[in-house]
Amino acid sequence: HPEPFPRNDWLEIPDSGHMVKRVVDDIDEIVRAVRFDGWQNTHAGEREVKIALRKTLFKYKLHQDTELFERAYGYIREYY
């Protein structure tokens, strides 16, 4: 099992209170739901995880922050 998604080391958004925790928890939950062993080595796996991440960021109106997406995806790819 991967470590829980980190709380603040990659997520830099203005409201650093409860919103950050909700975003991180949602990303953790949705990625765990769509990932599978070896997903990083398949186009389908990468696509599913990226779609899940993008949907979660969209929910919080953060989907246009490319740098945030890349940092989050990089962490997910390494630790999930």
Side-chain angles (χ1 to χ4, degrees), residues 8-80:
N8 273 331
D9 60 344
W10 61 272
L11 186 60
E12 297 169 10
I13 54 178
D15 174 11
S16 60
H18 297 292
M19 183 177 167
V20 170
K21 180 172 177 6
R22 287 198 310 266
V23 172
V24 168
D25 288 347
D26 282 1
I27 290 172
D28 185 60
E29 182 180 332
I30 198 164
V31 168
R32 287 175 190 269
V34 301
R35 69 173 289 286
F36 52 86
D37 287 341
W39 69 267
Q40 300 95 327
N41 302 316
T42 69
H43 291 296
E46 287 192 339
R47 185 177 64 246
E48 288 301 312
V49 169
K50 285 181 177 182
I51 289 169
L53 175 58
R54 189 86 58 199
K55 284 181 179 177
T56 303
L57 293 177
F58 181 80
K59 177 179 173 182
Y60 293 96
K61 307 292 188 259
L62 298 170
H63 56 290
Q64 293 181 330
D65 187 336
T66 305
E67 186 181 337
L68 174 62
F69 178 86
E70 293 301 328
R71 284 197 313 266
Y73 181 73
Y75 185 90
I76 292 165
R77 195 171 199 299
E78 185 171 348
Y79 294 103
Y80 284 72

